Amino acid sequence: MTVCSSPSSSFESSNNGKTWIIHGIVAGVAVTAAVVAHAYLNRFNKFRTRVVGIIPARFASSRFPGKPLVQILGKPMIQRTWERAKLAATLDHVVVATDDEKIADCCRQFGADVIMTSESCQNGTERCNEALQKLGKKYDVVVNIQGDEPLIEPEIIDGVVKALQADPDAVFSTAVTSLNPEDAHDPNRVKCVVDNRGYAIYFSRGLIPFNKSGKINQQFPYLLHLGIQSYDAKFLKIYPYLQPTPLQLEEDLEQLKVLENGYKMKVVKVDHEAHGVDTPEDVQKIESLMLERNLA
């Protein structure tokens, strides 16, 4: 005997079938979304992961010839900087890039890897680029660590690297700290202004911003640029081919060529007592500070 389904049972079967189909679609979408999200996060986590720190060092400095080799409490300044850079957690490798054999020999003696670069490099960025091309391993981020910062804090290096890794729109990152009022008119202390999103607007050897009174505003949070800079490795290869720009030439600041060509530069604000060595007189200040902090 043939058993016929009632209209209601047919309707229920149809609904059950549709329900399973809908559940299957939802589950499929969820799985697909999870796979896509996982792939995206993996890609993000791998974004600019390989990092090299390069310390550009040249002997022929107009203000302080032979500066990298000056003794800071019994060690060459370049060694002091190298030792501090080696403590940074984000750096896979640290090298010194120089065009001088005396500096190269000194660095090899205390265990640093050295890349010889040409004398034609116009600034530290170009020297870093040449060193990058000569390194056998590929890197995503290059950190330019100034050789005249023997007290550079490893945490600042890490902060600059992480800022670049977290911002796909930026090709360059750097650090600033509070400007001491006594350094306001020192052309060796580079000042910086930043927008509300943490991107650099301008750098200058003069005081910026400059108010109508011509005096220092004790209430304004002026920013001092620290020498540490990191670059996206692909951008670094482009940098030497960018033509010099008017502001760059007038201020003699390589960062301005980046801004004038429309690239974004992320700025990290840190608490740091800036103690770079610009003149021979700065050496004694550094040594006194190191003794105070038991860093000898």
Side-chain angles (χ1 to χ4, degrees), residues 98 100-110 114 116:
T98 185
D100 186 86
E101 285 294 344
K102 294 185 289 297
I103 294 175
D105 290 342
C106 173
C107 292
R108 293 187 186 108
Q109 287 177 25
F110 61 74
V114 178
M116 296 304 297

Side-chain angles (χ1 to χ4, degrees), residues 45-259:
N45 289 336
K46 294 178 181 178
F47 183 61
R48 295 172 173 164
T49 56
R50 296 162 294 187
V51 185
V52 61
I54 300 178
I55 307 174
R58 64 190 184 98
F59 192 90
S61 169
S62 57
R63 289 176 294 175
F64 195 169
K67 182 167 64 171
L69 301 181
V70 67
Q71 292 289 305
I72 305 285
L73 295 178
K75 289 184 180 181
M77 182 168 63
I78 188 72
Q79 181 177 354
R80 294 281 184 188
T81 304
W82 178 81
E83 289 174 347
R84 299 292 290 175
K86 292 282 285 184
L87 298 175
T90 54
L91 300 184
D92 298 308
H93 191 36
V94 179
V95 301
V96 175
T98 185
D99 57 5
D100 186 86
E101 285 294 344
K102 294 185 289 297
I103 294 175
D105 290 342
C106 173
C107 292
R108 293 187 186 108
Q109 287 177 25
F110 61 74
D113 289 336
V114 178
I115 300 291
M116 296 304 297
T117 54
S118 65
E119 296 181 2
S120 62
C121 294
Q122 297 297 310
N123 50 50
T125 302
E126 291 190 9
R127 198 171 302 282
C128 284
N129 176 59
E130 184 177 337
L132 176 65
Q133 307 313 314
K134 292 182 177 180
L135 284 169
K137 188 176 178 181
K138 182 179 179 181
Y139 292 96
D140 306 308
V141 175
V142 178
V143 188
N144 179 345
I145 304 166
Q146 298 296 317
D148 56 8
E149 288 278 352
L151 294 182
I152 185 68
E153 297 175 24
E155 294 80 8
I156 293 178
I157 297 174
D158 291 335
V160 168
V161 171
K162 290 175 182 177
L164 188 61
Q165 290 174 327
D167 194 333
D169 292 332
V171 298
F172 193 118
S173 65
T174 190
V176 297
T177 192
S178 298
L179 176 71
N180 293 324
E182 59 266 29
D183 294 329
H185 299 295
D186 183 349
N188 295 319
R189 300 291 190 253
V190 177
K191 295 79 178 177
C192 177
V193 286
V194 182
D195 70 15
N196 291 334
R197 297 181 60 201
Y199 293 111
I201 297 175
Y202 194 68
F203 295 85
S204 180
R205 295 186 182 277
L207 183 64
I208 51 174
F210 191 80
N211 61 62
K212 290 188 291 184
S213 73
K215 299 178 181 179
I216 300 171
N217 179 358
Q218 298 293 339
Q219 306 304 314
F220 191 87
Y222 298 104
L223 297 176
L224 171 69
H225 180 231
L226 302 177
I228 178 124
Q229 302 171 156
S230 72
Y231 326 93
D232 179 277
K234 294 178 181 177
F235 168 75
L236 187 58
K237 294 177 182 179
I238 297 172
Y239 179 88
Y241 299 100
L242 298 176
Q243 291 299 310
T245 54
L247 296 175
Q248 174 203 4
L249 296 174
E250 185 64 19
E251 295 262 17
D252 189 23
L253 294 174
E254 58 188 282
Q255 306 95 302
L256 293 177
K257 184 166 76 166
V258 179
L259 297 181

